[in-house]
Amino acid sequence: MQDIFQSVIDDIHDKLESDNYGIDTYGCDLHHELCNMDYFIIGTYQAKQFLGEYVFDAIEMVKDYEQSNFGEVTTDLSEPERVVNMLTYIIGEYVLAESDHLQDKWDDRLTGDDLTKIAEDLECLSAAKLYREAA
C-alpha cells in the first residue's frame, strides 16, 4: 500500500511543480484542484493493476473514510476505477495536511511561490510514515 501512497505523493508533487497548476486557487481549495478535477486513473484494467494485492485495503479505506465523513458509503466499491480515484482523493488529504505552508495559506489565494513552498514541504515526505499514520 506504500507504493500507492508514493504514487499519489509523486502525482501531487508533479502537479505542484508544473506551470500554473493551482495558481490563484485558495489554499483551502488546493486539494480539490489537485485530487478531484481530473481522474488519477482512467480504465478498469488500469485501476485493477494499480490496486493489485491492496484492493481490499483500498476498499476498506474508502469505506471507513466515507462512513466517517458522510455517514454512508457512496462510492460504488464494485468499480475499480471509482475505488482508485476516491482512494487517491483520500490519500491526497493526508499528503497536503503535511504542508505547513499550505496550512498558513489556507484562506489566501496561492501564488507560484506558495506552490513551490508547498512542493518543498512534500518533497521529503515518507510514504511509509504517511501510510502508518493513515492506517
Side-chain angles (χ1 to χ4, degrees), residues 19-84:
D19 291 337
N20 299 326
Y21 205 102
I23 286 183
D24 209 32
T25 298
Y26 280 98
C28 62
D29 294 328
L30 184 61
H31 172 254
H32 175 76
E33 183 74 24
L34 295 172
C35 301
N36 204 32
M37 293 300 290
D38 198 6
Y39 293 107
F40 185 78
I41 287 186
I42 297 174
T44 301
Y45 177 78
Q46 290 84 352
K48 286 179 180 180
Q49 294 299 307
F50 181 76
L51 291 172
E53 65 186 277
Y54 304 112
V55 65
F56 292 109
D57 295 326
I59 289 170
E60 180 180 7
M61 192 172 196
V62 169
K63 188 176 136 199
D64 290 347
Y65 176 89
E66 289 189 357
Q67 193 67 43
S68 175
N69 286 283
F70 311 134
E72 65 180 336
V73 178
T74 58
T75 298
D76 183 348
L77 300 176
S78 68
E79 292 289 333
E81 186 177 6
R82 292 179 190 221
V83 172
V84 166

Side-chain angles (χ1 to χ4, degrees), residues 112-124:
D113 288 340
D114 291 325
L115 296 173
T116 298
K117 289 176 184 174
I118 294 166
E120 288 170 359
D121 284 348
L122 304 179
E123 206 162 30
C124 297

Side-chain angles (χ1 to χ4, degrees), residues 4-14 91 95 122 125-127 130:
I4 292 174
F5 272 72
Q6 189 61 56
S7 293
V8 176
I9 292 168
D10 293 344
D11 182 65
I12 288 172
H13 193 267
D14 290 347
I91 295 171
V95 171
L122 304 179
L125 190 57
S126 165
L130 197 61

